[in-house]
């Protein structure tokens, strides 16, 4: 007789398919051909079309329109025309609309899930239980932000017309992440879904009609990268929000450089999944399933690098293999399937190529014994062990169900391995010790850290990258900042107003320092000979002779020499960056300690006020002292948030320093400008390489003496004088500089943005707009704190 355990062993799943009929009927209703949704109306399918296919069968689903440049232009015009009215609806009006969208999504949720799985190949279990509920949640949550905007974001206004380009891995969810915050804050959008997966976006466009969203507020246009590039290039778009590969992100960064467009990029990742020896290994195994086999590993924050503490590595590998053997892969519409299909043949080929390369480079590959369906595009779950940290498969984003496993011995080694990547999107940590987890979490360079969980998302929590994983956040209060700008001034994003008030970044070259000229100017005839000083730079807490061995004259308005500064060059900048890195302990001092140092700087500057006031405008020193007080006051008050995500957990949104910041100071006021820019940066824990005003650098240079006597650790602030453009270019192109602030001309701003794409450093440039440094908001507003920090969301579940 068969025993009960034997029955359990031989039990097999029967097919449990979700019906595709409603989605297919919808496609038929449209004759399987779609136009574009512009200004609240549908265009006829265009002259150029392309096919979207079902990845599980390889069969065509529909023909879509390749939007041309003219189509992009019409969509932008429609969005522009609709924007003032949409903003004027006010928070409550917009909240009602967003709420309606959430309701409509919810009512259509099964339909959307089926259509998504058909078009993308993801298991219905995921589209039904994860993607679509999160879409509805995003619209509900942002309906709330619309309602609260006036109160919670005072002084900020919509950015205007937003161009949004999204990828194919979470088609409808990425649409929601983009559209909900944009609409909530009074913007209108032109959105392009990815060419492989446009269907749910097109159905969403219909939903906008059904829900009564005013025409032109949401425009959906389809097409491949050419359409994306046309959106990026369109001159009347105020901001680009992009999610996709780092390569395309870099193209977009370069293409928008100098345009004044606001930019947020959510790019690739190679996220570590760190397992300490005290972790609950059975939970870890389920965590790995969610980390790398969720959505076939086509997840930008997939936990694709398992780092496991040596003592438990073998046990974990054995458990993982057993679990992989039991995974079910097949028809995405089957409700009992764990993994579906890869979105397109080109992606499958890329995964296959990288897996081959992994084997050629000597890693050991393991796949379960069962085989994948032959129709459609499938790839089995794959585990690589014996992987060198430098191997291609350990460094490159595979974007497929392939995970590499490496060992570590100590927590310090875990941190080093985890951060051994150019990306920084997410990380998960597995340990039963909360102390260990909370010690490691801040050390990881990642925008999200999940403790004992992975791949959990919510509208209330910000999501986005460090390093080459991009910048900007989506979700949470921090995500709203991407879609608003300060009402007056506008220097934060280089644009000064809505459509009419917006000043184009002037191409007129600003007056650059005459210090760059090599001709020796006449010495002011009436001046007494000054006490001769050898001009030096300030690097690593010490005065340093410029590497060039040369100095340069500083001229007054009349062109007379009033002194000399060191002629810094690329070597000096590199030394300064190195010194700034070495001073990174500054970030780990308590905020109270950092505040004390800032107050001390203010005290020492005040003590030397008479001396400093000779070189600057009347009242400037006093204002500089007050400014330092302001930033000292903020040092221990710029708090994070605890987000209410709907899980049994707390989600800590922690502002963290960017790292090493390059700060290019404004021409004038030389001392106040330097103090106003550098102090908030260091208050938040950054270290800085500063290029002072080229026009009047002397007071700024003497400022090092104040720093020197104020207990500021060496290397936290480094000052390099010299030809500003040349030095700025070196800073902007430097791969070890994490961010750069540039308060100068339009051309210099464009150059900074262009060069920053190398390591995707954060930029904040003025596009040639002057800032009133004496004004408390323009010279000491909250935007300095926002620009000096990036938010890390740490998810901490609780309960047994
Ligand atoms: P993935 O690796 O996720 O496919 P891509 O970066 O290739 O990411 O694509 C993401 C989105 O970017 C898609 O909507 C795609 O059409 C679009 N895209 C591709 N190339 C460009 C480009 N040069 N400019 C703007 N958008 C682009």
């Amino acid at each position: 007789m068969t025993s009960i355990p034997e029955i359990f062993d031989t039990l097999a799943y029967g097919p449990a398919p979700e019906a595709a009929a409603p989605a297919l009927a919808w496609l038929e209703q449209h004759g399987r051909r779609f136009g574009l949704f512009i200004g609240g109306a549908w265009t006829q399918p265009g002259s150029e079309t392309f096919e979207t296919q079902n990845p599980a069968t390889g069969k065509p689903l529909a023909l879509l329109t390749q939007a041309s440049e003219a189509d992009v232009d019409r969509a932008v015009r429609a969005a522009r025309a609709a924007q003032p009215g949409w903003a004027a609806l006010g928070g409550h009006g917009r909240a009602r609309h967003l709420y309606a969208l959430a309701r409509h999504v919810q009512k259509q949720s099964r339909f959307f899930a089926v259509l998504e799985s058909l078009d993308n190949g993801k298991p219905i279990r995921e589209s039904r239980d994860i993607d679509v509920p999160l879409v509805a949640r995003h619209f509900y949550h942002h309906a709330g932000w619309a309602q609260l905007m006036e109160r919670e974001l005072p002084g900020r206004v919509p950015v205007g017309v937003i161009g949004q380009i999204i990828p194919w891995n979470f088609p409808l969810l990425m649409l929601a992440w983009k559209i909900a915050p944009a609409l909530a804050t009074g913007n209108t959008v032109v959105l392009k879904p990815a060419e492989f997966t446009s269907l749910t976006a097109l159905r969403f466009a219909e939903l906008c009609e059904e829900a009564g969203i005013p025409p032109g507020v949401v425009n959906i246009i389809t097409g491949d990268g050419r359409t994306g590039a046309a959106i990026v290039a369109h001159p009347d778009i105020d901001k680009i929000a992009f999610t996709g590969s780092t390569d395309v992100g870099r193209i977009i960064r370069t293409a928008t450089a100098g345009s004044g467009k606001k930019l947020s990029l959510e790019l690739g990742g190679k996220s570590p999944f760190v397992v300490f020896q005290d972790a609950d290994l059975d939970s870890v195994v389920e965590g790995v399933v969610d980390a790398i086999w969720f959505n076939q590993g086509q997840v930008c924050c997939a936990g694709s690098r398992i780092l496991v503490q040596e003592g438990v590595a073998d046990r974990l590998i054995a458990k993982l293999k057993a679990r992989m053997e039991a995974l079910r892969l097949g028809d995405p519409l089957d409700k009992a399937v764990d993994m579906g299909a890869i979105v397109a043949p080109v992606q499958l080929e890329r995964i296959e190529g990288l897996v081959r390369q992994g084997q050629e480079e000597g890693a050991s590959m393991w796949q379960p014994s069962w085989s994948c369906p032959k129709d459609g595009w499938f790839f089995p779950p794959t585990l690589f062990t014996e992987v060198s940290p430098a191997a291609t498969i350990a460094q490159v984003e595979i974007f497929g169900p392939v995970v590499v496993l490496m060992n570590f011995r100590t927590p310090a080694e875990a941190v080093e391995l985890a951060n051994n990547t150019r990306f920084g999107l997410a990380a998960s940590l597995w340990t039963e010790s909360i102390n260990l987890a909370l010690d490691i979490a801040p050390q990881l360079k990642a925008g999200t850290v999940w403790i004992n969980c992975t791949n959990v998302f919510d509208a209330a929590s910000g999501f986005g990258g460090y390093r080459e994983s991009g910048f900007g956040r989506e979700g949470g209060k921090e995500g709203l900042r991407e879609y608003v700008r300060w009402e007056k001034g506008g220097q934060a994003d280089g644009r000064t107003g809505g459509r009419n008030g917006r000043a184009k970044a002037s191409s007129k070259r600003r007056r650059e320092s005459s210090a760059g000229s090599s001709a020796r100017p006449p010495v002011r005839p009436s001046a007494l000979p000054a006490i001769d000083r050898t001009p030096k730079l300030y690097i690593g807490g010490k005065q340093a002779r410029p590497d060039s061995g040369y100095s340069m004259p500083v001229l007054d308005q009349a062109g007379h020499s009033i002194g000399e500064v060191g002629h810094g060059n690329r070597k000096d900048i590199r030394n300064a960056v190195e010194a700034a890195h070495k001073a990174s302990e500054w970030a780990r001092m308590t905020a109270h300690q950092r505040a004390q140092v800032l107050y001390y700087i203010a005290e020492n500057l005040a003590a030397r006020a008479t001396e400093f006031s000779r070189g600057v405008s009347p009242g400037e020193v006093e204002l500089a002292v007050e400014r330092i007080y302001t930033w000292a006051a903020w040092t221990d008050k710029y708090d994070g948030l605890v987000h209410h995500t709907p899980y049994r957990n707390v989600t800590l949104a922690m502002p963290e320093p960017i790292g090493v910041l390059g700060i290019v100071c404004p021409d004038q006021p030389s001392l106040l400008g330097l103090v106003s820019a550098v102090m908030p940066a260091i208050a938040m824990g950054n270290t800085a390489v500063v290029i002072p005003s080229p026009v009047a650098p002397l007071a700024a240079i003497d400022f090092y003496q104040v720093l020197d006597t104020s207990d500021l650790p060496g290397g936290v602030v480094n000052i390099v004088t010299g030809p500003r453009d040349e030095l700025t270019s070196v800073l902007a192109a430097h791969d070890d500089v994490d961010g750069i602030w540039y308060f100068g001309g339009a051309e210099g701003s464009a150059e900074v943005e262009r060069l920053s794409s190398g390591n995707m450093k954060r930029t904040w440039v003025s596009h040639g707009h002057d800032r009133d440094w004496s004004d408390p908001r323009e010279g000491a507003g909250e935007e300095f704190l926002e620009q000096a920090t990036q938010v890390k969301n740490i998810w901490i579940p609780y309960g047994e």
Side-chain angles (χ1 to χ4, degrees):
M1 210 176 82
T2 324
S3 70
I4 289 175
E6 276 167 355
I7 291 175
F8 273 115
D9 275 349
T10 53
L11 272 180
Y13 286 92
E18 175 74 36
L24 296 175
W26 176 76
L27 290 176
E28 290 302 338
Q29 236 176 47
H30 287 274
R32 297 199 181 236
R33 291 166 72 84
F34 291 86
L36 312 170
F37 184 65
I38 297 177
W42 289 90
T43 66
Q44 288 301 314
S47 49
E48 189 184 344
T49 54
F50 62 96
E51 212 173 67
T52 187
Q53 296 149 338
N54 179 346
T57 60
K59 300 220 172 83
L61 287 168
L63 272 184
L64 308 175
T65 297
Q66 169 73 31
S68 63
E69 277 181 30
D71 294 324
V72 170
D73 187 51
R74 283 192 311 113
V76 173
R77 282 169 197 271
R80 177 62 71 195
Q83 197 271 329
W86 178 248
L89 267 184
H92 179 62
R94 296 196 302 274
R96 296 276 281 258
H97 280 294
L98 283 158
Y99 184 79
L101 280 176
R103 286 304 237 191
H104 275 73
V105 167
Q106 232 167 10
K107 282 189 261 181
Q108 300 268 323
S109 58
R110 188 58 61 93
F111 178 92
F112 270 117
V114 172
L115 188 61
E116 196 78 300
S117 284
L118 274 178
D119 200 17
N120 166 279
K122 63 172 68 203
I124 184 78
R125 199 172 51 80
E126 292 176 9
S127 50
R128 182 196 60 198
D129 298 347
I130 299 171
D131 294 44
V132 178
L134 279 174
V135 170
R137 161 92 180 127
H138 228 77
F139 281 105
Y140 280 127
H141 181 78
H142 285 89
W145 279 125
Q147 180 75 30
L148 298 177
M149 176 174 169
E150 278 132 44
R151 225 188 65 184
E152 290 296 303
L153 295 170
R156 309 215 207 186
V157 292
V159 174
V161 172
I162 318 290
Q164 305 185 313
I165 301 167
I166 58 172
W168 43 261
N169 54 349
F170 294 91
L172 191 65
L173 183 56
M174 289 300 104
L175 172 149
W177 280 25
K178 295 278 180 289
I179 290 186
L183 261 49
T185 43
N187 304 279
T188 54
V189 305
V190 175
L191 177 134
K192 186 193 87 63
E195 53 272 39
F196 300 139
T197 55
S198 304
L199 292 178
T200 47
L202 293 169
R203 177 68 194 105
F204 179 83
E206 292 181 343
L207 212 76
C208 290
E209 289 182 285
E210 292 157 19
I213 303 297
V217 170
V218 173
N219 303 275
I220 308 267
I221 57 176
T222 49
D224 60 17
R226 287 170 294 159
T227 307
I231 294 175
V232 169
H234 197 289
D236 203 30
I237 280 185
D238 300 296
K239 170 187 163 74
I240 296 291
F242 171 79
T243 299
S245 59
T246 294
D247 288 345
V248 175
R250 195 165 274 128
I251 293 172
I252 293 177
R253 167 69 289 183
T254 312
T256 54
S259 68
K261 285 180 183 131
K262 209 170 156 148
L263 181 63
S264 51
L265 300 173
E266 199 263 271
L267 308 176
K270 191 77 182 174
S271 298
F273 183 103
V274 187
V275 184
F276 290 97
Q277 62 193 9
D278 66 343
D280 168 3
L281 287 192
D282 292 317
S283 300
V284 167
V285 170
E286 291 316 307
V288 173
V289 172
D290 287 339
I292 190 67
W293 296 310
F294 171 52
N295 203 16
Q296 297 71 251
Q298 304 168 123
V299 181
C300 46
C301 53
S304 51
R305 288 186 297 142
I306 303 174
L307 310 177
V308 54
Q309 203 156 13
E310 214 168 53
V312 292
D314 289 345
R315 270 175 56 218
L316 178 63
I317 292 170
K319 277 176 183 283
L320 270 178
K321 288 180 178 173
R323 183 68 179 92
M324 288 165 78
E325 195 63 43
L327 282 172
R328 299 193 73 235
L329 180 149
D331 176 10
L333 286 183
D334 187 331
K335 285 174 249 179
V337 136
D338 298 304
M339 289 173 65
I342 302 297
V343 75
V346 53
Q347 290 298 321
L348 186 58
E349 281 157 26
R350 179 180 153 78
I351 297 167
E352 288 166 345
L354 282 163
V355 164
R356 260 197 313 278
Q357 197 171 345
Q359 290 171 291
E360 282 159 17
E361 287 180 15
S364 162
M365 187 193 77
W366 194 89
Q367 290 174 335
S369 62
W370 45 263
S371 53
C372 291
K374 295 288 173 274
D375 291 338
W377 310 308
F378 291 92
F379 196 85
T382 302
L383 169 70
F384 272 103
T385 51
E386 288 153 63
V387 183
S388 141
T392 308
I393 51 169
Q395 290 294 334
V396 167
E397 184 177 38
I398 299 176
F399 228 66
V402 182
V403 68
V404 301
L405 184 144
M406 291 174 276
N407 296 356
F408 67 86
R409 285 190 178 161
T410 62
E413 210 177 291
V415 170
E416 206 168 306
L417 264 179
N419 288 337
N420 178 24
T421 165
R422 58 200 178 96
F423 298 112
L425 198 49
S428 42
L429 290 177
W430 296 77
T431 168
E432 291 297 291
S433 160
I434 189 73
N435 291 347
L436 178 62
L438 293 181
D439 182 35
I440 301 295
Q443 299 182 55
L444 298 180
K445 303 276 183 225
T448 299
V449 177
W450 290 296
I451 296 174
N452 292 331
C453 58
T454 196
N455 274 345
V456 278
F457 311 97
D458 184 59
S461 168
F463 183 86
Y466 279 35
R467 299 173 162 178
E468 291 184 38
S469 292
F471 40 79
R473 294 291 177 266
E474 296 188 291
K477 193 171 183 186
E478 56 267 37
L480 298 180
R481 290 181 201 153
E482 302 300 327
Y483 288 101
V484 289
R485 59 177 179 77
W486 292 95
E487 196 167 5
K488 202 166 67 70
Q491 286 85 348
D493 30 55
R495 298 199 159 197
T496 53
R499 185 193 177 114
N500 299 322
R502 203 174 66 207
K504 285 270 166 249
S506 157
S507 61
K508 196 168 114 286
R509 202 178 162 77
R510 279 165 63 103
R511 184 169 58 99
E512 297 289 348
S513 164
S514 50
S517 81
S518 55
R520 291 271 142 186
V523 173
R524 196 190 333 203
S526 61
L528 287 172
I531 297 174
D532 224 36
R533 287 171 56 189
T534 320
K536 299 221 182 71
L537 316 175
Y538 184 60
I539 296 177
K542 296 193 183 70
Q543 289 196 68
R545 281 178 204 285
D547 168 73
S548 68
Y550 287 96
S551 53
M552 336 187 335
V554 179
L555 311 181
D556 67 7
Q557 297 278 2
H560 294 124
S561 171
I562 49 171
E564 292 199 324
V565 292
H567 188 296
N569 65 13
R570 63 180 53 233
K571 177 99 184 2
D572 298 309
I573 290 282
R574 286 194 204 121
N575 290 342
V577 171
E578 206 178 311
H581 268 288
K582 283 201 184 125
S584 61
E585 277 299 313
W586 173 247
R588 279 182 279 284
M589 283 171 66
T590 66
H592 171 73
Q593 286 167 325
R594 287 201 303 272
Q596 293 301 299
V597 173
L598 262 72
Y599 281 121
Y600 199 11
I601 292 173
E603 186 186 320
N604 282 326
L605 179 60
R608 300 175 62 172
T610 323
E611 174 193 335
F612 270 88
S613 58
R614 279 187 219 119
V616 298
S617 330
E620 191 176 329
V621 178
E622 187 45 43
L623 207 50
V625 170
E626 189 191 325
R627 197 52 55 81
I628 303 173
Y629 258 70
T630 300
W631 295 124
W634 269 114
T635 305
D636 63 352
K637 292 175 194 65
Y638 191 56
D639 293 331
L641 291 170
V642 180
H643 289 313
H644 290 281
T645 48
Y647 299 87
R648 281 159 61 81
N649 87 100
V650 285
T651 303
L652 306 180
M654 316 261 293
E656 291 192 344
I658 308 281
V660 172
L661 282 183
I663 300 180
V664 186
C665 298
D667 285 358
Q668 293 286 8
S670 61
L671 179 66
L672 181 65
L674 179 140
V675 158
S676 302
V678 174
M679 291 301 133
I682 65 169
M684 294 298 106
N686 298 284
T687 58
V689 176
V690 181
I691 303 178
S693 157
V695 174
L698 295 177
I701 292 160
D702 284 343
F703 190 62
Y704 87 82
Q705 297 165 3
V706 173
L707 300 177
D708 234 13
T709 49
S710 305
D711 290 347
L712 184 74
V716 174
V717 174
N718 306 276
I719 302 176
V720 181
T721 51
R724 176 161 77 171
D725 288 352
E726 204 180 305
L727 297 180
T728 301
S729 298
V730 180
L731 261 182
H734 199 301
D735 279 344
D736 271 339
V737 172
D738 303 296
I740 181 157
W741 296 359
Y742 180 84
F743 302 103
E747 283 176 27
S749 299
E751 185 68 357
V752 163
E753 289 189 333
R754 239 189 318 275
L755 291 172
S756 71
S757 68
N759 69 341
M760 301 304 275
K761 58 177 69 66
R762 280 110 190 86
T763 58
W764 184 27
V765 302
S766 57
H767 294 293
H769 296 296
D770 280 327
R771 177 177 286 270
D772 179 359
W773 291 93
S774 58
D775 176 74
R777 207 181 72 194
E778 286 192 26
E782 201 177 324
E783 59 188 315
F784 285 86
L785 299 169
E786 289 174 3
Q787 294 287 350
T789 53
Q790 51 194 340
V791 178
K792 174 183 279 178
N793 274 269
I794 304 177
W795 293 62
I796 311 169
Y798 49 75
E800 278 298 308

